PDB file of all heavy atoms in Angstrom:
ATOM      1  N   CYS A1767     100.340 118.084  93.577  1.00  0.00           N
ATOM      2  CA  CYS A1767      99.610 117.841  94.819  1.00  0.00           C
ATOM      3  C   CYS A1767     100.513 117.226  95.853  1.00  0.00           C
ATOM      4  O   CYS A1767     100.519 117.619  96.995  1.00  0.00           O
ATOM      5  CB  CYS A1767      98.432 116.892  94.579  1.00  0.00           C
ATOM      6  SG  CYS A1767      97.171 117.596  93.588  1.00  0.00           S
ATOM      7  N   SER A1768     101.282 116.259  95.419  1.00  0.00           N
ATOM      8  CA  SER A1768     102.107 115.572  96.415  1.00  0.00           C
ATOM      9  C   SER A1768     103.236 116.455  96.887  1.00  0.00           C
ATOM     10  O   SER A1768     103.772 116.268  97.955  1.00  0.00           O
ATOM     11  CB  SER A1768     102.642 114.261  95.841  1.00  0.00           C
ATOM     12  OG  SER A1768     103.338 114.533  94.648  1.00  0.00           O
ATOM     13  N   GLU A1769     103.633 117.457  96.091  1.00  0.00           N
ATOM     14  CA  GLU A1769     104.759 118.287  96.511  1.00  0.00           C
ATOM     15  C   GLU A1769     104.317 119.466  97.363  1.00  0.00           C
ATOM     16  O   GLU A1769     104.955 119.823  98.311  1.00  0.00           O
ATOM     17  CB  GLU A1769     105.512 118.826  95.297  1.00  0.00           C
ATOM     18  CG  GLU A1769     106.404 117.771  94.658  1.00  0.00           C
ATOM     19  CD  GLU A1769     106.941 118.244  93.313  1.00  0.00           C
ATOM     20  OE1 GLU A1769     106.677 119.406  92.953  1.00  0.00           O
ATOM     21  OE2 GLU A1769     107.588 117.452  92.637  1.00  0.00           O
ATOM     22  N   ASN A1770     103.229 120.113  96.968  1.00  0.00           N
ATOM     23  CA  ASN A1770     102.851 121.360  97.631  1.00  0.00           C
ATOM     24  C   ASN A1770     101.669 121.214  98.551  1.00  0.00           C
ATOM     25  O   ASN A1770     100.979 120.218  98.538  1.00  0.00           O
ATOM     26  CB  ASN A1770     102.508 122.425  96.586  1.00  0.00           C
ATOM     27  CG  ASN A1770     103.642 122.607  95.629  1.00  0.00           C
ATOM     28  OD1 ASN A1770     104.763 122.702  96.056  1.00  0.00           O
ATOM     29  ND2 ASN A1770     103.335 122.610  94.366  1.00  0.00           N
ATOM     30  N   GLU A1771     101.449 122.249  99.347  1.00  0.00           N
ATOM     31  CA  GLU A1771     100.351 122.182 100.298  1.00  0.00           C
ATOM     32  C   GLU A1771      99.392 123.321 100.071  1.00  0.00           C
ATOM     33  O   GLU A1771      98.788 123.816 100.990  1.00  0.00           O
ATOM     34  CB  GLU A1771     100.891 122.328 101.724  1.00  0.00           C
ATOM     35  CG  GLU A1771     101.758 121.196 102.161  1.00  0.00           C
ATOM     36  CD  GLU A1771     102.271 121.506 103.550  1.00  0.00           C
ATOM     37  OE1 GLU A1771     101.502 121.350 104.496  1.00  0.00           O
ATOM     38  OE2 GLU A1771     103.404 121.946 103.672  1.00  0.00           O
ATOM     39  N   THR A1772      99.250 123.802  98.861  1.00  0.00           N
ATOM     40  CA  THR A1772      98.410 124.988  98.671  1.00  0.00           C
ATOM     41  C   THR A1772      96.948 124.665  98.853  1.00  0.00           C
ATOM     42  O   THR A1772      96.498 123.537  98.685  1.00  0.00           O
ATOM     43  CB  THR A1772      98.614 125.569  97.270  1.00  0.00           C
ATOM     44  OG1 THR A1772      98.593 124.472  96.355  1.00  0.00           O
ATOM     45  CG2 THR A1772      99.913 126.289  97.168  1.00  0.00           C
ATOM     46  N   ASN A1773      96.224 125.676  99.150  1.00  0.00           N
ATOM     47  CA  ASN A1773      94.815 125.540  99.490  1.00  0.00           C
ATOM     48  C   ASN A1773      93.986 125.662  98.224  1.00  0.00           C
ATOM     49  O   ASN A1773      93.652 126.747  97.788  1.00  0.00           O
ATOM     50  CB  ASN A1773      94.459 126.643 100.493  1.00  0.00           C
ATOM     51  CG  ASN A1773      93.123 126.391 101.093  1.00  0.00           C
ATOM     52  OD1 ASN A1773      92.412 125.494 100.689  1.00  0.00           O
ATOM     53  ND2 ASN A1773      92.780 127.194 102.085  1.00  0.00           N
ATOM     54  N   TRP A1774      93.677 124.546  97.602  1.00  0.00           N
ATOM     55  CA  TRP A1774      92.866 124.566  96.376  1.00  0.00           C
ATOM     56  C   TRP A1774      91.425 124.394  96.756  1.00  0.00           C
ATOM     57  O   TRP A1774      90.988 123.292  97.103  1.00  0.00           O
ATOM     58  CB  TRP A1774      93.260 123.408  95.462  1.00  0.00           C
ATOM     59  CG  TRP A1774      94.698 123.412  95.083  1.00  0.00           C
ATOM     60  CD1 TRP A1774      95.767 123.367  95.897  1.00  0.00           C
ATOM     61  CD2 TRP A1774      95.210 123.428  93.751  1.00  0.00           C
ATOM     62  NE1 TRP A1774      96.917 123.369  95.179  1.00  0.00           N
ATOM     63  CE2 TRP A1774      96.615 123.392  93.853  1.00  0.00           C
ATOM     64  CE3 TRP A1774      94.633 123.465  92.485  1.00  0.00           C
ATOM     65  CZ2 TRP A1774      97.428 123.399  92.732  1.00  0.00           C
ATOM     66  CZ3 TRP A1774      95.452 123.468  91.382  1.00  0.00           C
ATOM     67  CH2 TRP A1774      96.837 123.445  91.506  1.00  0.00           C
ATOM     68  N   THR A1775      90.652 125.434  96.756  1.00  0.00           N
ATOM     69  CA  THR A1775      89.256 125.306  97.177  1.00  0.00           C
ATOM     70  C   THR A1775      88.367 125.014  95.994  1.00  0.00           C
ATOM     71  O   THR A1775      88.523 125.572  94.919  1.00  0.00           O
ATOM     72  CB  THR A1775      88.783 126.607  97.843  1.00  0.00           C
ATOM     73  OG1 THR A1775      89.097 127.701  96.989  1.00  0.00           O
ATOM     74  CG2 THR A1775      89.499 126.797  99.176  1.00  0.00           C
ATOM     75  N   GLY A1776      87.407 124.140  96.229  1.00  0.00           N
ATOM     76  CA  GLY A1776      86.338 123.899  95.267  1.00  0.00           C
ATOM     77  C   GLY A1776      86.802 123.343  93.936  1.00  0.00           C
ATOM     78  O   GLY A1776      86.224 123.616  92.909  1.00  0.00           O
ATOM     79  N   ASP A1777      87.835 122.535  93.971  1.00  0.00           N
ATOM     80  CA  ASP A1777      88.288 121.951  92.717  1.00  0.00           C
ATOM     81  C   ASP A1777      88.011 120.463  92.757  1.00  0.00           C
ATOM     82  O   ASP A1777      88.600 119.726  93.529  1.00  0.00           O
ATOM     83  CB  ASP A1777      89.792 122.223  92.555  1.00  0.00           C
ATOM     84  CG  ASP A1777      90.253 121.879  91.151  1.00  0.00           C
ATOM     85  OD1 ASP A1777      89.452 121.306  90.383  1.00  0.00           O
ATOM     86  OD2 ASP A1777      91.391 122.200  90.826  1.00  0.00           O
ATOM     87  N   VAL A1778      87.103 120.034  91.936  1.00  0.00           N
ATOM     88  CA  VAL A1778      86.658 118.646  92.009  1.00  0.00           C
ATOM     89  C   VAL A1778      87.777 117.671  91.671  1.00  0.00           C
ATOM     90  O   VAL A1778      87.974 116.659  92.310  1.00  0.00           O
ATOM     91  CB  VAL A1778      85.463 118.422  91.063  1.00  0.00           C
ATOM     92  CG1 VAL A1778      85.036 116.968  91.093  1.00  0.00           C
ATOM     93  CG2 VAL A1778      84.310 119.313  91.475  1.00  0.00           C
ATOM     94  N   SER A1779      88.537 118.018  90.632  1.00  0.00           N
ATOM     95  CA  SER A1779      89.628 117.117  90.252  1.00  0.00           C
ATOM     96  C   SER A1779      90.628 116.996  91.385  1.00  0.00           C
ATOM     97  O   SER A1779      91.170 115.950  91.663  1.00  0.00           O
ATOM     98  CB  SER A1779      90.314 117.638  88.992  1.00  0.00           C
ATOM     99  OG  SER A1779      90.840 118.919  89.256  1.00  0.00           O
ATOM    100  N   MET A1780      90.812 118.117  92.051  1.00  0.00           N
ATOM    101  CA  MET A1780      91.722 118.173  93.186  1.00  0.00           C
ATOM    102  C   MET A1780      91.265 117.181  94.261  1.00  0.00           C
ATOM    103  O   MET A1780      92.031 116.427  94.821  1.00  0.00           O
ATOM    104  CB  MET A1780      91.711 119.605  93.710  1.00  0.00           C
ATOM    105  CG  MET A1780      92.511 119.862  94.955  1.00  0.00           C
ATOM    106  SD  MET A1780      94.207 119.410  94.855  1.00  0.00           S
ATOM    107  CE  MET A1780      94.534 119.301  96.574  1.00  0.00           C
ATOM    108  N   LEU A1781      89.952 117.189  94.509  1.00  0.00           N
ATOM    109  CA  LEU A1781      89.408 116.295  95.534  1.00  0.00           C
ATOM    110  C   LEU A1781      89.690 114.843  95.193  1.00  0.00           C
ATOM    111  O   LEU A1781      90.098 114.059  96.030  1.00  0.00           O
ATOM    112  CB  LEU A1781      87.885 116.500  95.644  1.00  0.00           C
ATOM    113  CG  LEU A1781      87.435 117.720  96.449  1.00  0.00           C
ATOM    114  CD1 LEU A1781      85.938 117.911  96.307  1.00  0.00           C
ATOM    115  CD2 LEU A1781      87.806 117.552  97.899  1.00  0.00           C
ATOM    116  N   SER A1782      89.498 114.512  93.907  1.00  0.00           N
ATOM    117  CA  SER A1782      89.699 113.115  93.545  1.00  0.00           C
ATOM    118  C   SER A1782      91.155 112.729  93.716  1.00  0.00           C
ATOM    119  O   SER A1782      91.481 111.639  94.141  1.00  0.00           O
ATOM    120  CB  SER A1782      89.237 112.878  92.105  1.00  0.00           C
ATOM    121  OG  SER A1782      90.009 113.666  91.226  1.00  0.00           O
ATOM    122  N   GLN A1783      92.045 113.681  93.399  1.00  0.00           N
ATOM    123  CA  GLN A1783      93.475 113.373  93.549  1.00  0.00           C
ATOM    124  C   GLN A1783      93.838 113.214  95.012  1.00  0.00           C
ATOM    125  O   GLN A1783      94.654 112.385  95.374  1.00  0.00           O
ATOM    126  CB  GLN A1783      94.326 114.474  92.930  1.00  0.00           C
ATOM    127  CG  GLN A1783      94.453 114.306  91.442  1.00  0.00           C
ATOM    128  CD  GLN A1783      94.489 115.629  90.733  1.00  0.00           C
ATOM    129  OE1 GLN A1783      94.778 116.648  91.359  1.00  0.00           O
ATOM    130  NE2 GLN A1783      94.185 115.633  89.462  1.00  0.00           N
ATOM    131  N   GLU A1784      93.204 114.029  95.848  1.00  0.00           N
ATOM    132  CA  GLU A1784      93.477 113.916  97.285  1.00  0.00           C
ATOM    133  C   GLU A1784      93.125 112.528  97.779  1.00  0.00           C
ATOM    134  O   GLU A1784      93.871 111.903  98.497  1.00  0.00           O
ATOM    135  CB  GLU A1784      92.658 114.954  98.062  1.00  0.00           C
ATOM    136  CG  GLU A1784      93.287 116.335  98.085  1.00  0.00           C
ATOM    137  CD  GLU A1784      94.433 116.429  99.057  1.00  0.00           C
ATOM    138  OE1 GLU A1784      94.360 115.810 100.121  1.00  0.00           O
ATOM    139  OE2 GLU A1784      95.412 117.114  98.745  1.00  0.00           O
ATOM    140  N   THR A1785      91.920 112.079  97.351  1.00  0.00           N
ATOM    141  CA  THR A1785      91.516 110.757  97.820  1.00  0.00           C
ATOM    142  C   THR A1785      92.450 109.695  97.280  1.00  0.00           C
ATOM    143  O   THR A1785      92.788 108.737  97.959  1.00  0.00           O
ATOM    144  CB  THR A1785      90.079 110.424  97.397  1.00  0.00           C
ATOM    145  OG1 THR A1785      89.940 110.717  95.998  1.00  0.00           O
ATOM    146  CG2 THR A1785      89.079 111.249  98.182  1.00  0.00           C
ATOM    147  N   GLU A1786      92.929 109.949  96.029  1.00  0.00           N
ATOM    148  CA  GLU A1786      93.879 108.999  95.451  1.00  0.00           C
ATOM    149  C   GLU A1786      95.136 108.941  96.302  1.00  0.00           C
ATOM    150  O   GLU A1786      95.651 107.896  96.638  1.00  0.00           O
ATOM    151  CB  GLU A1786      94.247 109.480  94.043  1.00  0.00           C
ATOM    152  CG  GLU A1786      94.520 108.373  93.054  1.00  0.00           C
ATOM    153  CD  GLU A1786      95.025 108.973  91.750  1.00  0.00           C
ATOM    154  OE1 GLU A1786      94.174 109.359  90.954  1.00  0.00           O
ATOM    155  OE2 GLU A1786      96.249 109.074  91.592  1.00  0.00           O
ATOM    156  N   LYS A1787      95.611 110.156  96.675  1.00  0.00           N
ATOM    157  CA  LYS A1787      96.846 110.232  97.464  1.00  0.00           C
ATOM    158  C   LYS A1787      96.682 109.527  98.792  1.00  0.00           C
ATOM    159  O   LYS A1787      97.503 108.737  99.193  1.00  0.00           O
ATOM    160  CB  LYS A1787      97.204 111.700  97.678  1.00  0.00           C
ATOM    161  CG  LYS A1787      98.522 111.868  98.406  1.00  0.00           C
ATOM    162  CD  LYS A1787      98.994 113.291  98.344  1.00  0.00           C
ATOM    163  CE  LYS A1787      98.241 114.144  99.310  1.00  0.00           C
ATOM    164  NZ  LYS A1787      99.084 115.069 100.045  1.00  0.00           N
ATOM    165  N   THR A1788      95.544 109.809  99.455  1.00  0.00           N
ATOM    166  CA  THR A1788      95.364 109.160 100.749  1.00  0.00           C
ATOM    167  C   THR A1788      95.193 107.669 100.565  1.00  0.00           C
ATOM    168  O   THR A1788      95.632 106.875 101.376  1.00  0.00           O
ATOM    169  CB  THR A1788      94.145 109.721 101.496  1.00  0.00           C
ATOM    170  OG1 THR A1788      93.032 109.696 100.597  1.00  0.00           O
ATOM    171  CG2 THR A1788      94.399 111.136 101.934  1.00  0.00           C
TER     172      THR A1788
END
Side-chain angles (χ1 to χ4, degrees):
Chain A
C1767 292
S1768 56
E1769 283 170 4
N1770 305 314
E1771 294 177 77
T1772 45
N1773 192 353
W1774 302 59
T1775 51
D1777 191 352
V1778 178
S1779 60
M1780 176 56 200
L1781 281 172
S1782 62
Q1783 278 145 20
E1784 278 283 324
T1785 48
E1786 213 186 275
K1787 184 168 77 137
T1788 50

